[in-house]
Amino acid sequence: MATIGECLTDATRRLTAAGSETARLDAEVLLAWSIGADRTTLIAHHDAPVGADAQARFEAGVVRREAGEPVAYIRGIKEFHGLAFSVDERALIPRPETEALVDAAISEVMARLAARPGEAGAGPEHGGDPIRVADIGTGSGAIAVALAVGLRARRVTMGRNVTIAATDISPDALDLARENAVGHAAADGMRFIEADLLPPVLPDDGARFDVLLANLPYVRTDAIAGLPVAASFEPRLALDGGPDGLDAIRALLERLPEALAEDGVALLEIGADQGEGAPAAVAEALPDWRTTVEPDLAGLPRVLRVSRS
């Protein structure tokens, strides 16, 4: 019976040979998943034996990872914004840099709630309608669910104070988003809508959104071939942003005047190399609108903020 240390050494060697840039980390995460423990346990108990069932599960996972499959798909889980999300080939795996978009959304919604003279959602004489949020291209639902959970932790009543409409062109992705919303008890006030960006008629009898979020495909078409092999397991539709990576963003910009409230704001994730190109796209599509670019924790361009002047 192999020990934890022996399993990790062998798997690290194999994954390195297979081209993984994070071979040791991959091995540790897969072994921890296989034995139902955390990585700290592995480090503290290198000499502990690994049971036959756990070793078989680990071996199957390593084989899949050798073929390039993302660890998140093998485990079926990806941590994002302090939450564990179910993930599979139906949607893009949430990236850590996207947490900057969630943080910006939480700050924006909370500022709008604080500025209301009464309680949002309490009616025209007591605070008006709820804050309406849209998550365009929701995929696994990670952004919408993390936002809902973050607001709930700040004593916001979802469904009354804030509503979220999550859209996606893929019905399979929407099913995954629903599963994640239910799994985090975050479905209150959340609607899932199959649409290419936005539906022809907005929800709530066409009421426009106060805050619109989107993490749309922004990888340049010619750069996709150079991505790690793990990306080939993800839906290309969720990655390919066209020749300069901004096709989907441009399409959404065209819809903003009809979709965004007069004092609304759109927060769009962009690539680290699009700090100049994305604002230029806004200036071309919406010349009278205002744009700023906010960095992520690494100091790289990440969130494009768009609003009417």
Side-chain angles (χ1 to χ4, degrees):
M1 185 177 294
T3 65
I4 286 175
E6 290 169 342
C7 287
L8 289 176
T9 298
D10 178 64
T12 300
R13 175 187 57 77
R14 290 166 56 186
L15 295 179
T16 299
S20 171
E21 297 179 353
T22 55
R24 180 67 181 193
L25 176 61
D26 293 348
E28 290 178 354
V29 171
L30 288 173
L31 185 56
W33 163 72
S34 299
I35 65 178
D38 55 34
R39 290 173 57 212
T40 305
T41 301
L42 305 186
I43 296 170
H45 301 282
H46 261 222
D47 294 331
V50 178
D53 290 345
Q55 191 165 352
R57 188 182 191 191
F58 178 58
E59 172 61 23
V62 171
V63 169
R64 291 169 65 181
R65 184 68 186 116
E66 283 181 298
E69 187 172 355
V71 171
Y73 282 173
I74 298 170
R75 296 169 64 217
I77 296 173
K78 178 63 176 179
E79 292 76 14
F80 177 79
H81 212 265
L83 304 171
F85 285 89
S86 295
V87 293
D88 56 36
E89 66 281 353
R90 288 177 286 179
L92 192 74
I93 298 168
R95 268 56 168 182
E97 53 267 27
T98 302
E99 294 184 2
L101 181 61
V102 177
D103 292 337
I106 291 174
S107 296
E108 182 65 34
V109 172
M110 292 304 298
R112 288 171 179 266
L113 289 171
R116 290 289 182 94
E119 182 188 5
E125 298 180 359
H126 305 282
D129 293 337
I131 304 293
R132 293 187 175 92
V133 179
D135 176 27
I136 309 302
T138 194
S140 67
I143 293 170
V145 172
L147 173 60
V149 172
L151 293 174
R152 187 174 64 198
R154 291 162 174 79
R155 301 182 181 277
V156 174
T157 302
M158 298 303 299
R160 177 177 172 85
N161 305 140
V162 178
T163 63
I164 300 176
T167 75
D168 204 286
I169 195 172
S170 166
D172 291 337
L174 286 174
D175 286 342
L176 179 59
R178 289 188 188 96
E179 293 167 17
N180 279 315
V182 171
H184 288 287
D188 288 348
M190 194 178 295
R191 285 169 289 187
F192 300 91
I193 303 167
E194 184 178 344
D196 185 359
L197 299 179
L198 288 158
V201 178
L202 301 181
D204 299 325
D205 298 323
R208 293 185 289 182
F209 296 108
D210 301 291
V211 180
L212 187 148
L213 313 173
N215 178 19
L216 297 172
Y218 57 72
V219 179
R220 299 190 319 275
T221 301
D222 62 4
I224 289 181
L227 294 177
V229 66
S232 67
F233 287 79
E234 298 180 276
R236 186 182 178 103
L237 184 67
L239 291 167
D240 192 345
D244 65 353
L246 294 170
D247 280 3
I249 290 176
R250 287 192 183 92
L252 181 58
L253 291 175
E254 292 179 2
R255 301 288 304 274
L256 284 190
E258 67 182 81
L260 206 59
E262 287 299 318
D263 64 343
V265 62
L267 302 172
L268 315 178
E269 180 170 338
I270 59 174
D273 60 345
Q274 294 172 336
E276 296 181 359
V282 178
E284 181 178 353
L286 304 168
D288 297 328
W289 288 45
R290 180 171 54 243
T291 62
T292 57
V293 176
E294 301 174 7
D296 57 21
L297 291 177
L300 300 172
R302 190 58 59 191
V303 178
L304 180 70
R305 184 184 180 95
V306 184
S307 60
R308 288 179 172 85
S309 297

